[in-house]
Amino acid sequence: MLILKVHEIKMMNLTFLRKIDWFFMFILKVCASGHGKNGAICVMQHSVRPDLITEVELPGCKGIWTVYHKSSRGHAVDALKPSKEDDEFHAYLIISLESRTMVLETADDLGEVTERVDYYVQGTTIAAGNLFGRRRVVQIFARGARILDGSYMTQELPFGVHNSDHNSSPDSCTVSSASIADPYVLLKMVDGSIQLLIGDLSTCTVSIYVPSILANSTDSVSACTLYIDKGPDSWLRRASTDAWLSSGIAETIDGNDGSYHEQGDIYCLLCYESGTLDIYDVPNFKCVFSCDKFVSGKSHLVDRSVREPFKPYQKIKSKTNKESTDLGRKETTEKMKVVELVMQRWSGPYCRPFLFAVLNDGTMLCYQAYLYEGLDSYSKNEEVVSPNNSVDPSSISASRFRNLRFIRVPTDFTAREEPSNMVIQPKITVFKNIAGYQGLFLSGSRPAWFMVCRERLRVHPQLCDGSIAAFTVLHNVNCNHGFIYVTFQGFLKICQLPSAFNYDNYWAVRKIPLRGTPHQLTYCAEKNLYSIILSFPVARPINQVLSSMLDQDIGQMERENTSSDVLQKTYTLDDFEVRLLEPEKSGGNWDTRATIPMQPCENALTVRMVTLFNSATKENEAIMAIGTAYVQGEDVASRGRILLLSIGKNGENSQNLVTEVYSKELKGAISAVASLQGHLLIASGPKITLHKWTGSELTGVAFYDTPLYVVSLNIVKNFILLGDIHKSIYFLNWKEQGAQLSLLAKDFGSLDCYATEFLIDGSTLSLVVSDDQKNIQIFYYAPKMVESWKGQKLLSRAEFHAGAHVTKFLRLQMLPTSDRMSATLGSDKTNRFALLFSTLDGSIGCVAPLDELTFRRLQTLQRKLVDSVPHVCGLNPRSFRQFRSNGKAHHPGPDNIVDCELLSQYEMLPLENQLEIANQIGTTRAQILSNLTDYSLSTSFL
């Protein structure tokens, strides 16, 4: 069972420990959540899994684009509402291959029309899009551009012909990338220069313009993009210090030409090889914003003309950087450059622009713009404009955005990879409506969705198909607001986002309502069924409640001493049942295949699928075991019932799906069950009993007396881990020869257990337990050590404060990562498991083993970050992770823990600080980021 409140998901802290050293991540599949009528099963996906419509083989694809076309579009059509434009179907699909270009018509079927259109098909295509309100299509290829009206070419524009300089290199005439913003097309050439195609709306033609901003500059452009600031109120224009003038002129323009807002303000963003980011207005190319060291990933981006406050910390750091050794100097910012740049403002009443950049090592920088108005927001040399002076609109757009700021947004995602190992260069594709969501898609070796929901950025990786070479949106009759992508293996897939999932969460979530309170959940893999314990509040007359207790003397006495008026009053009780649900593959609601109701006053406590060896037939049987307890007041002796049910074939007839094969009442509540080498282990009250199965009866073969009350049972081979409600954990061994349950060791401390589980790291076995003080402890059995009292005592390997009550652990095998990591870990580390856990406050997390060398490196990094990173409210993360004993005597365990929530702050530091800290701890930035990435991938179970 995984209890989780989906609407209150917290990103639980990631934690590493050593040898066994551990690591936290956030992964889950199916969980139970909610209470009462809000109870539900939640299916969660950390990775997006699209619904496939069709798939074709297409090797050698380099890029894909979809374009619109309407043969006749007047000015009245240009003024259509955005909602109607969203419903317009795409006309053509352009596919760029290694040596040619294919064109397909996106009608009812995708039909190739390459031979019947005037598109450039003799070589690869760099970019394609629409101009002039979707009346024309622009196709950019390496040495030219074509303007097309549907399938007919209206203009061809070769690059380099207009250049009168015969000494210019061919690279200055070859396009590397392009950005389209109607009616402009920004071209980045191979040599790092830029050119601008300017469209004429009256003739639907374009002309080439070479900006002079790079004429005398030796710094070439590494990435560029165009940004359209649409809307009735231009957002960036308000960032100017004379925004009050621009707003007044905008109203005048609006009154003369209603199409002004449709076009919006257009800006050009250039990122240079040196790391400088500049924003220019288009087409004047006057700088309105400039920021140095953009590739460093600073927390805030401010215009260089603004006086920044004095920061002693930065002064000290810059002085220290000069004294850094050669180890840190090998990793300099000169090697870092921006390879992909996008700025976008999506629709929404309060939406602000986002700025995305991808570095050559795969690092993703994400910023969100905001306005800042302060006394120091303009420099001393700024000219003050009088309200009485006449103002030219072009000069207003050229005024610097000194009130504009960008704040870095954490994404909890990395596409990082060594440049030499990067198979596909990351590429950003913006979408405005895919299944009602807007955002961008990052293709490459580690593709991911970045969705903007309610001003928040939701990141969902897509790992199901591996590397993705190209991506584009598609909207036609057979694919309503869907998308197309091409995998690195050479398959083109037309898909849609699953409509049943909600992506406005940390993970994609789908809720299946239960209309009751779920208590425990288990999965039957053979039948593909989920068994869940549910309870429903039911109001019954007290007379009926007492009648169900007539077999007890207390029930008869209470009934005789109660007046008739009181007997007619109602009393609310919880009715329990076990429901079997079958997941629907098509995405619909889950079907209820069977329901097992409990008796009055009987509470179902545990349900689990067990494998029992039938001594009569000599075969293993998969049986569903249910443990219950009768709740009849403190004056009645506690009783419970064990139920064994056989699940038949999952056919249409659900009445014969579940068959009761055994039922028996036992002393004490049945709080936990488990299968042990074909036997059934039952925890009933203060005792665990091992039974063998004859096909019709359970026969006890061994037992062990526990202190008080068993809350959990876990089995690995013939080892048993049990957690007591007040007396911590016990480690037992089952010996079939002699039929004996023997105690190996226990924790002599006082601990109120919530959940327990085994953790496996190769040949190392550890015992994990959570308690009522929101701690997680990890023990190990070492009988040869003196501290273990000749093996009687479990020794502490690690302990930390999770910050929430952990109610369930789930053991999953870790995924393999790179060959480099596998070679380092050795063959004995292939059998590695991680523990997923859930908490009562709605958070989920994961604990995973970490090798010794990586732990030492990250532990040293953690100690540096405690003093180098500003913490929330000034709270100390090291103090927060210390074990909480609530006044009880406790001997502190070893310091074998690192907090990965703190380690994640390393990636948010500026690049110079990352290099300096890595140098101080004797390692490199690449090594630290590689360790974090490897363990992130090894725990990406979903």
Side-chain angles (χ1 to χ4, degrees):
M1 177 192 66
L2 295 173
I3 301 298
L4 175 64
K5 296 180 181 177
V6 175
H7 59 280
E8 294 179 1
I9 292 180
K10 297 180 180 178
M11 295 307 274
M12 197 56 192
N13 309 314
L14 290 96
T15 307
F16 294 91
L17 303 130
R18 108 174 137 103
K19 193 139 189 145
I20 293 205
D21 311 354
W22 320 100
F23 168 80
F24 268 91
M25 276 296 293
F26 324 116
I27 303 181
L28 200 59
K29 179 65 175 178
V30 177
C31 62
S33 70
H35 181 273
K37 65 178 182 180
N38 297 318
I41 286 181
C42 298
V43 182
M44 305 183 65
Q45 290 183 355
H46 183 53
S47 174
V48 174
R49 297 180 181 179
D51 289 338
L52 180 65
I53 297 178
T54 185
E55 176 183 359
V56 294
E57 190 173 358
L58 186 68
C61 179
K62 299 298 182 181
I64 52 177
W65 301 268
T66 50
V67 294
Y68 299 94
H69 170 251
K70 283 191 175 181
S71 57
S72 59
R73 291 179 63 96
H75 290 285
V77 181
D78 291 338
L80 288 176
K81 296 182 180 179
S83 60
K84 293 185 178 180
E85 294 211 357
D86 288 342
D87 295 334
E88 184 177 344
F89 291 155
H90 288 102
Y92 295 98
L93 171 64
I94 304 170
I95 303 175
S96 176
L97 303 177
E98 292 180 347
S99 59
R100 64 188 183 96
T101 296
M102 292 177 57
V103 181
L104 284 75
E105 196 172 30
T106 58
D108 294 343
D109 297 323
L110 293 180
E112 184 175 359
V113 293
T114 305
E115 303 297 332
R116 304 196 301 268
V117 295
D118 294 338
Y119 283 83
Y120 174 77
V121 297
Q122 293 78 21
T124 60
T125 298
I126 304 297
N130 286 99
L131 292 179
F132 312 118
R134 299 181 179 177
R135 283 183 288 171
R136 295 291 185 270
V137 177
V138 57
Q139 182 191 19
I140 307 297
F141 47 94
R143 301 302 296 268
R146 288 189 180 184
I147 306 299
L148 301 102
D149 184 2
S151 60
Y152 302 101
M153 181 178 63
T154 59
Q155 182 186 6
E156 183 169 10
L157 195 64
F159 301 143
V161 178
H162 67 286
N163 198 339
S164 60
D165 188 2
H166 299 285
N167 298 326
S168 61
S169 62
D171 291 344
S172 63
C173 306
T174 304
V175 180
S176 173
S177 62
S179 176
I180 302 173
D182 192 9
Y184 301 100
V185 180
L186 181 65
L187 307 176
K188 175 186 171 295
M189 302 303 179
V190 175
D191 64 345
S193 62
I194 62 170
Q195 296 183 17
L196 185 68
L197 303 184
I198 303 177
D200 186 356
L201 186 61
S202 59
T203 60
C204 290
T205 58
V206 296
S207 58
I208 299 179
Y209 169 68
V210 181
S212 59
I213 55 175
L214 301 178
N216 301 325
S217 175
T218 58
D219 196 3
S220 58
V221 175
S222 63
C224 60
T225 187
L226 291 176
Y227 166 65
I228 305 179
D229 202 15
K230 283 187 177 181
D233 184 12
S234 180
W235 196 93
L236 279 185
R237 201 184 306 158
R238 292 181 292 171
S240 173
T241 54
D242 49 5
W244 58 277
L245 291 173
S246 62
S247 61
I249 292 180
E251 293 176 1
T252 304
I253 297 176
D254 292 344
N256 297 332
D257 184 5
S259 65
Y260 179 85
H261 289 323
E262 189 68 23
Q263 177 177 326
D265 297 339
I266 298 180
Y267 300 91
C268 171
L269 284 78
L270 301 180
C271 194
Y272 299 91
E273 297 280 352
S274 62
T276 302
L277 174 68
D278 289 344
I279 301 179
Y280 300 87
D281 70 332
V282 177
N284 300 321
F285 275 91
K286 294 183 179 179
C287 185
V288 296
F289 185 88
S290 180
C291 178
D292 295 327
K293 299 181 179 180
F294 173 68
V295 294
S296 298
K298 298 184 290 187
S299 60
H300 291 77
L301 301 181
V302 184
D303 186 26
R304 68 171 63 179
S305 65
V306 178
R307 297 193 306 268
E308 296 190 59
F310 176 75
K311 296 182 180 180
Y313 176 79
Q314 292 184 352
K315 291 289 183 180
I316 295 175
K317 289 296 178 183
S318 62
K319 182 178 180 181
T320 308
N321 286 336
K322 297 179 182 179
E323 301 173 356
S324 59
T325 61
D326 294 337
L327 179 63
R329 292 175 183 174
K330 290 182 180 179
E331 289 185 303
T332 61
T333 56
E334 297 177 359
K335 297 181 181 180
M336 306 297 294
K337 65 177 182 178
V338 177
V339 296
E340 192 76 11
L341 187 67
V342 165
M343 186 172 177
Q344 182 71 24
R345 180 191 175 201
W346 286 275
S347 62
Y350 306 104
C351 191
R352 294 175 286 151
F354 282 90
L355 175 62
F356 299 90
V358 180
L359 305 185
N360 56 343
D361 69 339
T363 301
M364 181 69 142
L365 301 179
C366 175
Y367 290 89
Q368 189 172 20
Y370 69 97
L371 299 179
Y372 173 81
E373 296 183 6
L375 298 177
D376 296 332
S377 61
Y378 53 88
S379 62
K380 293 181 179 180
N381 298 327
E382 181 182 359
E383 295 182 1
V384 179
V385 181
S386 172
N388 298 326
N389 296 340
S390 60
V391 182
D392 185 15
S394 63
S395 65
I396 292 177
S397 61
S399 60
R400 297 193 70 90
F401 295 155
R402 295 187 177 92
N403 290 339
L404 179 62
R405 302 286 190 275
F406 290 90
I407 184 171
R408 190 172 176 184
V409 179
T411 58
D412 295 325
F413 169 81
T414 178
R416 191 178 298 104
E417 195 168 350
E418 295 294 336
S420 59
N421 300 333
M422 193 171 293
V423 180
I424 302 176
Q425 193 70 30
K427 183 176 178 59
I428 295 176
T429 304
V430 177
F431 60 88
K432 297 181 179 179
N433 187 0
I434 293 182
Y437 292 94
Q438 55 186 3
L440 60 88
F441 183 85
L442 178 67
S443 58
S445 300
R446 293 167 188 168
W449 296 76
F450 292 76
M451 299 181 180
V452 179
C453 305
R454 297 178 299 171
E455 280 288 307
R456 299 188 65 180
L457 195 64
R458 302 294 192 180
V459 183
H460 302 285
Q462 181 174 324
L463 308 175
C464 56
D465 293 300
S467 302
I468 292 181
F471 177 93
T472 190
V473 297
L474 175 65
H475 180 48
N476 68 356
V477 176
N478 298 319
C479 183
N480 187 19
H481 294 296
F483 54 94
I484 305 176
Y485 64 91
V486 181
T487 64
F488 179 70
Q489 291 76 17
F491 291 94
L492 183 145
K493 298 186 177 183
I494 302 177
C495 305
Q496 289 178 315
L497 282 179
S499 59
F501 282 87
N502 179 15
Y503 296 92
D504 189 8
N505 290 285
Y506 289 104
W507 291 354
V509 178
R510 177 192 172 194
K511 298 186 70 174
I512 294 92
L514 299 173
R515 304 301 178 186
T517 302
H519 295 272
Q520 196 173 105
L521 179 70
T522 188
Y523 178 60
C524 178
E526 295 181 357
K527 308 297 182 181
N528 190 29
L529 294 174
Y530 286 89
S531 303
I532 185 169
I533 298 177
L534 292 173
S535 67
F536 306 89
V538 178
R540 287 195 176 96
I542 296 181
N543 186 22
Q544 184 178 354
V545 175
L546 295 178
S547 298
S548 64
M549 302 166 59
L550 286 179
D551 55 338
Q552 303 290 337
D553 294 337
I554 181 69
Q556 184 66 28
M557 293 173 59
E558 289 291 340
R559 188 171 185 178
E560 293 176 356
N561 298 330
T562 305
S563 62
S564 58
D565 295 338
V566 175
L567 291 175
Q568 299 302 321
K569 294 183 178 180
T570 59
Y571 184 75
T572 302
L573 295 175
D574 285 336
D575 278 2
F576 280 76
E577 69 178 31
V578 177
R579 185 181 300 178
L580 271 66
L581 300 173
E582 181 183 11
E584 181 68 30
K585 296 181 180 180
S586 61
N589 290 330
W590 290 16
D591 295 331
T592 300
R593 306 302 301 170
T595 301
I596 302 100
M598 298 293 105
Q599 297 177 4
C601 301
E602 185 182 24
N603 293 3
L605 300 183
T606 181
V607 58
R608 181 175 290 192
M609 295 301 302
V610 295
T611 302
L612 303 182
F613 178 75
N614 192 328
S615 60
T617 61
K618 305 300 181 182
E619 294 180 353
N620 290 326
E621 298 180 2
I623 295 178
M624 183 173 65
I626 302 175
T628 71
Y630 290 97
V631 181
Q632 296 174 329
E634 60 183 8
D635 297 328
V636 181
S638 176
R639 295 180 300 115
R641 188 163 61 116
I642 180 69
L643 286 169
L644 299 183
L645 301 104
S646 176
I647 303 178
K649 294 183 179 180
N650 194 0
E652 295 182 357
N653 188 4
S654 62
Q655 296 180 355
N656 301 327
L657 179 64
V658 178
T659 304
E660 182 180 307
V661 295
Y662 183 78
S663 175
K664 184 180 181 180
E665 287 190 6
L666 300 174
K667 292 182 179 180
I670 310 299
S671 57
V673 294
S675 58
L676 174 61
Q677 295 183 349
H679 297 74
L680 181 62
L681 187 63
I682 300 175
S684 57
K687 179 188 293 187
I688 60 171
T689 308
L690 191 66
H691 299 78
K692 68 176 182 180
W693 174 241
T694 63
S696 58
E697 289 290 335
L698 286 176
T699 305
V701 295
F703 71 93
Y704 180 82
D705 289 325
T706 58
L708 294 174
Y709 181 81
V710 177
V711 296
S712 64
L713 282 175
N714 305 102
I715 308 296
V716 168
K717 294 185 177 179
N718 62 329
F719 297 106
I720 305 170
L721 171 63
L722 64 89
D724 190 83
I725 194 170
H726 288 306
K727 296 298 182 179
S728 194
I729 60 174
Y730 286 69
F731 187 40
L732 287 78
N733 182 31
W734 157 246
K735 296 180 181 179
E736 191 168 3
Q737 185 178 2
Q740 183 180 3
L741 287 174
S742 58
L743 175 67
L744 295 178
K746 66 177 182 178
D747 176 29
F748 283 84
S750 177
L751 198 69
D752 297 347
C753 296
Y754 269 44
T756 59
E757 186 55 88
F758 285 105
L759 185 57
I760 302 172
D761 181 22
S763 59
T764 306
L765 184 66
S766 297
L767 295 74
V768 183
V769 58
S770 62
D771 61 22
D772 64 328
Q773 297 300 317
K774 307 179 181 179
N775 303 307
I776 295 180
Q777 285 184 273
I778 301 162
F779 295 91
Y780 68 103
Y781 176 59
K784 296 182 180 181
M785 297 188 66
V786 179
E787 298 87 348
S788 66
W789 301 349
K790 297 182 180 182
Q792 301 180 49
K793 180 181 179 182
L794 292 173
L795 301 180
S796 175
R797 175 161 281 157
E799 60 186 21
F800 58 94
H801 184 67
H805 292 107
V806 177
T807 56
K808 179 65 180 180
F809 291 103
L810 180 63
R811 188 172 63 246
L812 293 176
Q813 189 167 10
M814 298 177 65
L815 303 178
T817 53
S818 62
D819 295 336
R820 178 188 69 257
M821 183 179 180
S822 299
T824 303
L825 297 178
S827 59
D828 62 329
K829 297 301 182 183
T830 57
N831 187 32
R832 275 191 154 182
F833 287 81
L835 292 184
L836 275 68
F837 63 83
S838 61
T839 67
L840 289 180
D841 70 347
S843 59
I844 53 179
C846 174
V847 184
L850 188 67
D851 62 276
E852 178 76 20
L853 181 60
T854 305
F855 167 74
R856 294 300 177 192
R857 182 182 301 116
L858 296 180
Q859 186 188 48
T860 309
L861 173 63
Q862 175 183 261
R863 292 169 180 168
K864 294 293 297 183
L865 292 178
V866 170
D867 301 326
S868 303
V869 176
H871 306 296
V872 178
C873 300
L875 301 177
N876 192 312
R878 183 183 301 175
S879 174
F880 177 75
R881 289 299 173 194
Q882 289 183 351
F883 187 88
R884 309 289 175 87
S885 60
N886 194 24
K888 298 179 181 179
H890 175 74
H891 181 71
D895 185 17
N896 292 339
I897 177 173
V898 289
D899 187 358
C900 203
E901 184 179 21
L902 177 60
L903 292 178
S904 64
Q905 298 298 319
Y906 178 78
E907 302 184 59
M908 295 297 295
L909 291 174
L911 180 60
E912 295 80 6
N913 292 4
Q914 294 184 27
L915 297 174
E916 181 185 359
I917 291 176
N919 178 43
Q920 290 176 356
I921 65 176
T923 185
T924 62
R925 171 181 177 268
Q927 183 64 58
I928 294 174
L929 298 179
S930 176
N931 292 145
L932 297 176
T933 303
D934 283 342
Y935 275 87
S936 175
L937 294 176
S938 65
T939 51
S940 299
F941 307 106
L942 307 181

